[in-house]
């Protein structure tokens, strides 16, 4: 019978893993919210200095970002933020609109009011951020709404799957520019979805969720006209 020893994690290793995870989250958010643009160069030394950490956790963060397709690492050109792949965007729209709406329509779960009240808090956070330049906080509030709903309907792993494919789709929205009117539109759609869930009208809530996610298709036209340099060649742009 195969026997495996439990891994031994020293305090130093645990601290490094925590720093690496934090570096990954901060870099990922910066890329998704377009504070670091597609095609931009990233150097381990520069990032480490900016974050006040060593190069090792930055290197580990780069590995995770590479696995997610958000950066490219080449001996010739170094490390760069990946250009947006429109095929991945279209796939993400399909996967998320299908999966998130199905979670609401087919789970058979009736979320308790307290759980929905917690989701309400993410909506209020978004409302407070309408006129803010804090795109990171806005992104986190938006993700809290979607992850909160999938968890409320007892499918938290569905959100993990959605998040895994969503990076390029979310970059499209932030590259367009999250203007106050656009943010208000997103919040209004979130509000309508939550109201239908509270009313027990899961079929209508599911329809609104699918439409809400597919709205990114309309955003693509503007971005393709004005910022083709952010996209991979050969994507039908």
């Amino acid at each position: 019978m195969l026997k495996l020893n439990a891994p031994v994690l020293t305090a130093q290793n645990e601290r490094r893993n925590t720093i690496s995870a934090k570096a990954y989250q901060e870099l990922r958010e910066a890329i998704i919210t377009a504070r670091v643009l597609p095609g931009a160069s990233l150097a381990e030394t520069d990032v480490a200095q900016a974050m006040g950490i060593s190069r090792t956790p930055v290197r580990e963060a780069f590995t995770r970002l590479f696995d997610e397709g958000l950066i490219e690492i080449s001996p010739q050109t170094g490390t760069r933020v990946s250009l947006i792949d429109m095929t991945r965007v279209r796939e993400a729209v399909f996967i998320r609109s299908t999966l998130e709406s199905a979670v609401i329509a087919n789970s058979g779960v009736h979320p308790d009011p307290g759980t929905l009240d917690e989701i309400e808090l993410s909506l209020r956070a978004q409302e407070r951020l309408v006129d803010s330049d804090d795109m990171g906080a806005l992104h986190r509030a938006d993700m809290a709404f979607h992850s909160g709903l999938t968890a409320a309907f007892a499918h938290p792993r569905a959100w993990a799957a959605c998040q895994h494919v969503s990076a390029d789709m979310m970059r499209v929205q932030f590259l367009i520019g999250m203007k106050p009117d656009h943010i208000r539109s997103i919040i209004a759609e979130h509000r309508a979805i939550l109201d239908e869930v509270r009313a027990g009208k899961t079929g209508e809530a599911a329809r609104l969720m699918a439409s809400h996610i597919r709205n990114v298709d309309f955003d693509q036209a503007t971005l393709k006209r004005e910022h083709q340099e952010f996209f991979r060649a050969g994507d039908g742009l």
Side-chain angles (χ1 to χ4, degrees):
M1 180 178 176
L2 179 64
K3 294 183 179 180
L4 299 175
N5 294 326
V8 177
L9 292 178
T10 66
Q12 184 177 8
N13 285 339
E14 290 177 347
R15 179 175 179 275
R16 191 191 73 187
N17 290 339
T18 300
I19 294 172
S20 174
K22 186 172 184 293
Y24 163 75
Q25 291 294 343
E26 290 185 3
L27 284 167
R28 185 180 190 276
E29 183 178 283
I31 292 170
I32 285 175
T33 59
R35 296 200 307 277
V36 181
L37 292 171
S41 296
L42 290 174
E44 284 183 10
T45 302
D46 293 343
V47 173
Q49 289 177 349
M51 291 186 169
I53 58 179
S54 70
R55 291 176 60 183
T56 299
V58 173
R59 188 176 303 117
E60 292 168 351
F62 277 11
T63 298
R64 294 181 65 181
L65 293 168
F66 175 80
D67 290 341
E68 198 173 349
L70 284 174
I71 65 172
E72 299 171 348
I73 302 173
S74 166
Q76 288 76 33
T77 60
T79 300
R80 294 182 179 276
V81 177
S82 299
L83 298 179
I84 293 175
D85 185 331
M86 287 302 296
T87 299
R88 287 163 59 100
V89 173
R90 289 187 284 269
E91 287 177 347
V93 170
F94 172 76
I95 291 169
R96 282 192 58 182
S97 62
T98 302
L99 189 54
E100 290 189 58
S101 60
V103 163
I104 295 172
N106 303 316
S107 71
V109 172
H110 301 284
D112 66 86
T115 299
L116 298 181
D117 287 344
E118 292 179 9
I119 297 171
E120 174 77 28
L121 295 178
S122 69
L123 274 180
R124 294 181 184 179
Q126 286 178 294
E127 289 169 348
R128 291 193 298 271
L129 291 163
V130 167
D131 297 309
S132 168
D133 292 327
D134 192 344
M135 293 296 103
L138 184 64
H139 169 65
R140 291 189 292 273
D142 181 60
M143 295 298 96
F145 175 83
H146 285 273
S147 64
L149 271 182
T150 54
F153 283 96
H155 282 292
R157 291 172 65 186
W159 174 246
C162 288
Q163 192 174 33
H164 182 71
V165 302
S166 293
D168 276 5
M169 171 185 163
M170 291 185 287
R171 286 205 287 168
V172 167
Q173 290 186 299
F174 281 98
L175 279 169
I176 291 170
M178 297 289 273
K179 301 292 189 278
D181 285 348
H182 185 60
I183 297 169
R184 289 189 185 96
S185 176
I186 290 172
I187 295 170
E189 291 172 4
H190 284 176
R191 173 68 63 193
I193 293 165
L194 185 58
D195 286 348
E196 296 298 337
V197 170
R198 284 190 185 277
K201 300 178 181 178
T202 53
E204 180 61 11
R207 186 191 69 78
L208 291 174
M209 177 63 82
S211 176
H212 166 66
I213 295 169
R214 286 196 297 266
N215 278 346
V216 76
D217 286 335
F218 298 101
D219 295 337
Q220 292 170 17
T222 300
L223 195 60
K224 287 188 289 186
R225 282 198 310 271
E226 298 179 358
H227 299 291
Q228 291 195 28
E229 71 274 17
F230 294 143
F231 293 90
R232 290 186 187 278
D235 272 341
L237 296 178

